[in-house]
């Protein structure tokens, strides 16, 4: 039901359809499972294949797609749900087509914008396979060496002998901005569920630029407390205000007094 957040303020309209979209995706491997997209799969396995299901990081033939995967959750679906407010009698299939169409339009717009940035040499993609906390600590260590070196003395993960190396992304050899200059935005997904929220924040927070617009995104798929109003304090093992003072970050809900979730007792 965490998909309700994709609908924003129109989440009441999403209560029926969002769980259905999740089930349809896992039944067919197609976002929204519209008849047109399913037909493109073809018969006998000769059509298009969803790469998420065709490529796996697991050895052999194991299935490694995350159990919470649902492509439509990453889009702003409020614009589609807005039309349902005035058309309460719309058939469920029509609603799904509307949602899928909105998601595809947004994805198309994002792709065009991204391609333009790449063409103008305004974006670079750097990949890393290893422990996230180790990477954060390595960046911190190199950034604090006052340009003495551009390589950390660390390994990619525990119990591995592969050295962690920054290949052409430190900017020490030119005037271009690099990973050592700090980040405006860091998205950690639900990494805190696996390594602990405190470990994740302490490792990532120093990498943000000291600007009021810098932001660290995080989320959780696990319930750490039976009381939703104290779940953040429970995850931090501390008073939220005190922890915010120590790390230099504060939850947006504490600053604005608003959140995308409603909790009542």
């Amino acid at each position: 039901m965490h998909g309700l957040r994709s609908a924003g303020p129109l989440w009441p309209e999403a209560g029926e359809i969002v769980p259905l979209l999740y089930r349809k995706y896992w039944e067919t491997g197609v976002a929204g499972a519209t008849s047109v997209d399913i037909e493109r799969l073809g018969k006998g396995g000769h059509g298009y294949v969803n790469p998420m299901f065709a490529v796996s990081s697991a050895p052999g033939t194991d299935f490694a797609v995350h159990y919470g995967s649902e492509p439509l959750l990453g889009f702003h679906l409020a614009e589609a749900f807005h039309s349902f407010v005035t058309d309460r009698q719309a058939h469920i299939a029509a609603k799904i087509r509307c949602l899928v169409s909105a998601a595809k339009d947004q994805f198309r717009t994002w792709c065009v914008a991204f391609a333009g940035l790449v063409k103008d040499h305004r974006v670079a993609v750097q990949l890393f396979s290893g422990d996230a906390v180790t990477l954060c600590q390595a960046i911190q260590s190199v950034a604090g060496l006052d340009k003495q070196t551009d390589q950390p003395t660390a390994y990619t993960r525990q119990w591995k002998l592969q050295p962690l190396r920054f290949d052409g992304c430190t900017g020490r050899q030119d005037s271009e901005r690099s990973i050592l200059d700090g980040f405006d935005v860091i998205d950690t997904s639900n990494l805190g569920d696996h390594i602990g929220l405190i470990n994740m924040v302490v490792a990532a927070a120093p990498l943000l630029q000291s600007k009021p617009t810098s932001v660290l995104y995080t989320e959780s798929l696990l319930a750490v407390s039976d009381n939703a109003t104290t779940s953040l304090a429970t995850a931090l093992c501390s008073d939220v205000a005190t922890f915010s003072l120590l790390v230099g970050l504060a939850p947006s809900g504490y600053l604005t007094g608003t959140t995308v979730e409603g909790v009542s007792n």
Side-chain angles (χ1 to χ4, degrees):
M1 295 300 288
H2 60 287
L4 295 178
R5 292 179 293 178
S6 299
L10 298 179
W11 66 267
E13 306 297 327
E16 175 186 9
I17 194 170
V18 167
L20 177 62
L21 290 172
Y22 177 81
R23 293 195 301 270
K24 289 290 187 181
Y25 174 70
W26 280 90
E27 289 174 0
T28 65
V30 177
T34 62
S35 58
V36 175
D37 289 334
I38 291 179
E39 288 176 359
R40 290 177 178 175
L41 294 176
K43 295 182 179 180
H46 300 298
Y48 297 99
V49 177
N50 188 330
M52 289 184 62
F53 291 88
V55 180
S56 173
S57 60
T61 58
D62 292 343
F63 187 70
V65 178
H66 192 275
Y67 66 88
S69 299
E70 214 293 61
L72 294 180
L73 300 187
F75 296 92
H76 306 289
L77 302 180
E79 64 175 80
F81 281 108
H82 180 267
S83 62
F84 304 157
V85 175
T86 56
D87 187 8
R88 299 284 184 178
Q89 304 302 320
H91 192 272
I92 191 69
K95 293 182 178 181
I96 292 178
R97 287 195 298 270
C98 184
L99 290 172
V100 173
S101 177
K104 288 182 177 180
D105 288 342
Q106 291 176 26
F107 185 70
R108 187 179 299 107
T109 301
W110 297 347
C111 289
V112 171
F114 182 77
L117 293 174
V118 172
K119 184 178 181 180
D120 295 337
H121 303 286
R122 295 172 56 192
V123 63
V125 178
Q126 301 289 344
L127 304 178
F128 171 75
S129 177
D131 182 73
V133 173
T134 300
L135 175 63
C136 292
Q137 294 173 342
I139 296 175
Q140 292 181 47
S141 66
V142 174
L145 292 178
D146 194 24
K147 298 187 178 181
Q148 296 177 17
T149 179
D150 60 357
Q151 297 298 338
T153 55
Y155 296 94
T156 56
R157 64 178 76 234
Q158 288 183 328
W159 313 114
K160 294 292 183 180
L161 297 179
Q162 182 178 359
L164 195 159
R165 291 290 180 262
F166 295 142
D167 298 328
C169 57
T170 61
R172 287 277 165 89
Q173 308 301 324
D174 50 49
S175 59
E176 293 184 3
R177 182 176 176 181
S178 75
I179 60 173
L180 305 182
D181 297 324
F183 297 87
D184 298 304
V185 179
I186 298 178
D187 190 341
T188 66
S189 185
N190 68 317
L191 185 61
D193 289 340
H194 303 278
I195 65 173
L197 185 60
I198 297 178
N199 295 329
M200 185 272 296
V201 173
V202 171
L207 302 182
L208 288 170
Q209 292 196 26
S210 298
K211 300 190 301 184
T213 54
S214 298
V215 58
L216 174 69
Y217 287 111
T218 183
E219 59 183 292
S220 176
L221 300 178
L222 306 177
V224 296
S225 173
D226 293 334
N227 187 348
T229 60
T230 62
S231 59
L232 181 56
T234 301
L236 296 175
C237 303
S238 168
D239 174 70
V240 176
T242 302
F243 187 86
S244 300
L245 180 64
L246 293 174
V247 300
L249 293 176
S252 59
Y254 275 70
L255 300 177
T256 64
T258 60
T259 69
V260 296
E261 299 176 348
V263 178
S264 60
N265 295 322

